[in-house]
Amino acid sequence: MFVFDIETLGKKSDSVILSMAAIYFNPDEKPSPEQLREDAFFAKFDVKDQVHRLKRHMGKSTIEWWSKQCDNVKRASFIPHESDCRFEEGYESMRTWAASKNDPKCWVWARGNLDQLVLDDIEEQCGLEPIWLFSRWRDVRTAVDIFYETQNGYVDVNYPGFDSRNDITKHNPIDDCIFDAMQLMYGVNKKEST
């Protein structure tokens, strides 16, 4: 299974993509968070290129939201770097990485549907063949709520030494992927834990 996450500059399907990450895991092997992190894919994109060449959207409220995030999160996705790449370049790198997992028919998990909608939009705009077919996508929040009888799309994780408050930085796309995978594999049903 894959878990995918992007960070954007808006909430529309044609929003600028700041960065994207993905992890692959076999739930039967029960990987650790460290194993998930070691093999994660990450790409950070050239925002100016997307705005000028691709005419992608930036939302004022989202830019304001980013300005209030912690420095680590801003450095990971929001603040421009010399190494930022064009979207097509990063996307093709992710295609190569995903193909190396040799699991073309597995599910792709994302938190909600915005990530999939934005990815679909830019794939179509740039004429890119999708890495994962539309029918492969699944929503983490729905799965967590059904599996673990929660109502907010989040569940406590039962894994020795793992503490989401200290081990995960929200809005860092690699960490967001890891946390979602950990919830899917090691979530604790509230009724069973009481």
Side-chain angles (χ1 to χ4, degrees), residues 1-3 23-32 35-36 101 103 105-109 147-148 159 180-187:
M1 296 187 193
F2 291 94
V3 180
I23 60 169
Y24 176 80
F25 68 99
N26 179 338
D28 296 332
E29 294 175 3
K30 300 288 186 183
S32 70
Q35 289 169 314
L36 295 173
K101 306 308 171 198
D103 197 352
K105 293 189 175 184
C106 69
W107 290 344
V108 183
W109 294 93
F147 293 162
Y148 302 112
Y159 186 88
D180 281 343
M182 296 297 287
Q183 290 177 90
L184 290 169
M185 290 186 289
Y186 306 110

Side-chain angles (χ1 to χ4, degrees), residues 111 140-142 144-145 148-157 164 170-171 176 179-180 183 187-188 190:
R111 182 158 287 275
V140 171
R141 290 184 296 202
T142 302
V144 166
D145 285 346
Y148 302 112
E149 300 181 27
T150 61
Q151 295 181 0
N152 65 357
Y154 289 97
V155 67
D156 291 335
V157 171
S164 63
K170 285 188 176 189
H171 311 299
D176 286 347
F179 188 37
D180 281 343
Q183 290 177 90
V188 178
K190 300 250 184 223

